[in-house]
């Protein structure tokens, strides 16, 4: 399968695409088949980011309860694609084993227009029971309304597509989202029986809050809310339904990191910066030489 995204905001009639796909066949199969997990914040209405924030973080969890239920053996991660939309500025993927942070992949200068799959310098072992955390930092300065999760580019995502082998797990995607009950608690939303769609009901109350209540409430949701644990396979079967609503994990420390801040970080307010918000991968396929070269080129 190939997925193509096109952008023609002016609806110009003379834009043409000549992309193609060349497929090769071989009788000699590789030893292993690979697959992709989608991990992070579930793409839904309740992924909410307040307006006029320069660095608002959200966290998406792939809980160990899910990987323990959906995996029978170790797998080996060899690549990853970090994905957000126009407000995203930083994306960070962390792997935890128990309460220990054991690996990290980060982009401190995420640019929606420069997305790519990054081949890891060293394959990483992922064991049943390990957890992933995807942290996304957003800049919504200049936006007057709440930014919600969704497929549109002015809506947001916080995901990482993890490439691994061998293809022997039951998991297709492993995501989370803050529970509705947590929103009700932090925004003092009354529970009413018989509501047709509680997500829409909750969303309406949240986005109509006064600016200070909105900012504080969404910060509390981000930092403390229980999470719905979405652990699904190819048949849309919830592999971990006995652990659907989980507490905010005590083992996660937002301040903990294995990678130094990006030495090539750019000023988001400088419209003339030649790099823009170009990707600088602090762990992954770009080596030290590439990073140094970019720094020297634009100093």
């Amino acid at each position: 399968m190939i997925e193509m995204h096109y952008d023609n905001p002016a609806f110009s009639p003379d834009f043409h695409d000549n992309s193609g796909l060349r497929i090769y066949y071989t009788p000699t199969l590789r030893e292993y088949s690979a697959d992709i997990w989608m991990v992070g914040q579930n793409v839904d209405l309740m992924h909410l980011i307040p307006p006029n924030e320069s660095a608002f973080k959200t966290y998406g969890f792939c809980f160990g309860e899910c990987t323990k239920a959906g995996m029978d053996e170790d797998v080996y991660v060899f690549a990853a694609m970090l994905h957000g939309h126009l407000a995203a500025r930083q994306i960070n993927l962390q792997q935890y084993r128990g309460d220990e942070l054991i690996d990290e992949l980060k982009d401190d200068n995420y640019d929606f227009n420069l997305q790519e799959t990054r081949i890891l310098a060293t394959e990483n072992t992922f064991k049943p029971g390990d957890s992933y955390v995807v942290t996304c930092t957003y800049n919504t300065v200049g936006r007057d309304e709440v930014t919600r999760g969704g497929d549109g580019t002015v809506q947001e995502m916080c995901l990482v597509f993890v490439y691994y082998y061998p293809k022997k797990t039951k998991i297709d995607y492993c995501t989370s989202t803050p529970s509705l009950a947590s929103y009700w608690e932090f925004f003092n939303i009354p529970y009413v029986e018989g509501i047709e769609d509680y997500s829409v009901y909750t969303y309406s109350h949240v986005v109509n809050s006064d600016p200070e209540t909105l900012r504080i409430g969404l910060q509390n949701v981000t930092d403390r809310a229980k999470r719905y644990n979405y652990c699904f396979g190819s048949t849309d079967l919830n592999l971990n339904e006995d652990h659907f609503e989980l507490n905010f994990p005590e083992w996660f420390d937002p301040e903990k990191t294995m990678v130094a801040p990006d030495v090539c970080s750019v000023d988001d307010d400088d419209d003339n910066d030649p790099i823009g918000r170009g990707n600088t991968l602090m762990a992954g396929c770009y080596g030290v030489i590439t990073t140094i070269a970019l720094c020297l080129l634009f100093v």
Side-chain angles (χ1 to χ4, degrees):
M1 181 184 76
I2 183 170
E3 179 178 312
M4 302 290 291
H5 291 235
Y6 297 96
D7 186 21
N8 184 12
F11 299 101
S12 300
D14 56 346
F15 281 4
H16 302 282
D17 175 53
N18 62 354
S19 299
L21 184 65
R22 182 171 294 163
I23 300 176
Y24 295 89
Y25 295 88
T26 176
T28 307
L29 300 181
R30 295 180 178 179
E31 181 179 0
Y32 300 111
S33 294
D35 204 354
I36 299 174
W37 283 336
M38 184 178 79
V39 302
Q41 162 70 44
N42 199 59
V43 182
D44 58 37
L45 183 64
M46 302 315 298
H47 180 201
L48 300 178
I49 305 158
N52 290 305
E53 292 285 335
S54 60
F56 189 86
K57 289 180 168 58
T58 66
Y59 310 116
F61 299 96
C62 172
F63 288 102
E65 286 84 348
C66 175
T67 64
K68 188 181 297 183
M71 296 174 60
D72 296 322
E73 61 183 79
D74 297 355
V75 297
Y76 304 95
V77 177
F78 62 91
M81 178 181 175
L82 287 65
H83 181 66
H85 288 174
L86 295 175
R89 295 296 183 269
Q90 299 174 340
I91 301 179
N92 185 13
L93 173 69
Q94 294 181 317
Q95 179 184 348
Y96 279 80
R97 185 162 296 154
D99 60 359
E100 181 183 0
L101 175 61
I102 64 170
D103 200 16
E104 184 170 25
L105 175 69
K106 69 186 299 186
D107 187 341
D108 282 342
N109 296 301
Y110 178 81
D111 189 335
F112 178 74
N113 297 304
L114 294 174
Q115 299 183 58
E116 55 204 327
T117 298
R118 296 106 186 278
I119 306 300
L120 305 186
T122 304
E123 290 182 356
N124 179 43
T125 302
F126 192 96
K127 294 180 173 293
D130 284 2
S131 302
Y132 273 134
V133 183
V134 182
T135 301
C136 292
T137 305
Y138 301 99
N139 185 331
T140 58
V141 173
R143 296 191 180 189
D144 298 324
E145 299 179 351
V146 171
T147 299
R148 51 154 291 191
D151 295 332
T153 55
V154 294
Q155 298 166 344
E156 271 307 330
M157 292 186 179
C158 181
L159 296 170
V160 175
F161 298 92
V162 177
Y163 297 67
Y164 73 93
Y165 74 93
K167 182 183 178 180
K168 290 186 178 181
T169 77
K170 306 170 187 175
I171 305 168
D172 276 358
Y173 67 92
C174 178
T175 60
S176 71
T177 199
S179 71
L180 292 180
S182 294
Y183 275 105
W184 300 343
E185 175 187 353
F186 294 126
F187 283 90
N188 295 315
I189 300 173
Y191 174 76
V192 179
E193 291 189 5
I195 297 293
E196 182 176 354
D197 190 327
Y198 281 100
S199 291
V200 173
Y201 168 75
T202 305
Y203 174 82
S204 177
H205 275 78
V206 171
V207 299
N208 287 302
S209 304
D210 66 82
E212 187 65 9
T213 299
L214 179 67
R215 184 185 65 80
I216 294 174
L218 288 181
Q219 191 66 66
N220 283 330
V221 167
T222 291
D223 294 340
R224 298 163 53 194
K226 292 184 177 182
R227 266 27 182 212
Y228 292 147
N229 169 29
Y230 293 104
C231 180
F232 284 89
S234 57
T235 60
D236 281 339
L237 174 68
N238 190 339
L239 303 172
N240 203 211
E241 59 185 8
D242 292 338
H243 298 88
F244 180 62
E245 187 175 10
L246 299 174
N247 290 327
F248 191 92
E250 295 182 358
W251 44 260
F252 174 59
D253 180 357
E255 303 302 320
K256 187 180 293 186
T257 184
M258 298 179 65
V259 181
D262 187 352
V263 295
C264 291
S265 184
V266 295
D267 187 349
D268 208 28
D269 296 327
D270 187 358
D271 294 332
N272 297 316
D273 184 14
I275 305 180
R277 291 187 307 279
N279 290 318
T280 302
L281 186 62
M282 298 310 297
C285 68
Y286 296 122
V288 175
I289 295 177
T290 302
T291 304
I292 295 175
L294 283 172
C295 292
L296 293 177
L297 182 60
F298 294 110
V299 167

